[in-house]
Amino acid sequence: MRLTQWTDYTLRVLMYCAATEGREQPVTITEVAEGYGISRSHLMKIVQQLSAQGLLETTRGRGGGMRLMLPASAINIGAVVRATETDFNLVECFDPATNQCRLSSHCRLKGVLWQAMQAYLAVLDGVTLEDLMAPPAGPASAGGGAVRALLPTVALPRNGATPRRSLPVAGLSSAASEIE
């Protein structure tokens, strides 16, 4: 299965907001669009949908932007994928309305693929947005510092002359770390 671009961008917006949680200024669509190199107008539609689903709080106008409406630990990735993907038909025979396969009555592939899809979704159901933001467990992440140092970061806005620390966001190039 391949996720649609819509789902990919949806997950990126949520991860970006989670990575910048706790900063003074809300995340802007322009900030995310520039950080990921994604169309601003496409992101506007995604943010509208996330807001309608109760996942993002949005504020218009100067100083506006978006923030997570729920804690990252309460946002289930499997539920997000189910809400954004429109087609879970891996093969033609999954849809009885369009199935033209002559082997359908004798084929076991459909059952195997269905089980694989259920396993795929079960893995996503076991993951929250918070899980995606935490450094991976294991010897390489002792203390988390080594792993975090390898991840690209999102620069947080500066309040006066006081520098603020950056938070990693998976998928952002290191050039994006200068975005404010």
Side-chain angles (χ1 to χ4, degrees):
M1 170 168 187
R2 181 177 177 157
L3 294 178
T4 60
Q5 199 174 53
W6 183 274
T7 300
D8 178 24
Y9 292 171
T10 297
L11 293 172
R12 290 184 195 205
V13 167
L14 290 172
M15 290 175 68
Y16 200 107
C17 289
T20 57
E21 198 169 35
R23 76 178 193 185
E24 247 178 78
Q25 298 295 326
V27 173
T28 66
I29 291 174
T30 300
E31 177 182 347
V32 177
E34 290 175 359
Y36 286 127
I38 299 172
S39 160
R40 188 178 180 287
S41 62
H42 195 60
L43 283 179
M44 288 175 65
K45 295 173 190 172
I46 289 169
V47 168
Q48 271 185 323
Q49 183 184 44
L50 288 170
S51 178
Q53 292 172 347
L55 296 175
L56 287 182
E57 172 187 19
T58 59
T59 309
R60 293 180 149 211
R62 187 179 188 116
M66 58 189 159
R67 297 184 192 278
L68 291 179
M69 193 171 243
L70 301 171
S73 61
I75 299 175
N76 180 274
I77 300 304
V80 172
V81 168
R82 281 183 182 84
T84 56
E85 285 296 313
T86 58
D87 185 6
F88 286 97
N89 293 330
L90 291 181
V91 289
E92 175 186 320
C93 59
F94 274 34
D95 184 358
T98 61
N99 184 15
Q100 297 294 316
C101 181
R102 294 177 182 217
L103 299 175
S104 286
S105 62
H106 311 310
C107 180
R108 293 186 180 175
L109 180 61
K110 179 179 179 179
V112 170
L113 291 175
W114 186 85
Q115 287 177 344
M117 172 69 77
Q118 297 312 305
Y120 171 80
L121 292 170
V123 168
L124 294 177
D125 286 340
V127 178
T128 66
L129 182 59
E130 181 180 56
D131 297 330
L132 297 178
M133 303 314 299
S141 67
V147 173
R148 289 239 181 234
L150 296 174
L151 293 173
T153 59
V154 175
L156 297 175
R158 301 189 192 291
N159 191 1
T162 309
R164 301 195 45 188
R165 72 181 181 98
S166 297
L167 297 174
V169 175
L172 276 182
S173 67
S174 53
S177 65
E178 299 305 313
I179 296 174
E180 295 185 0

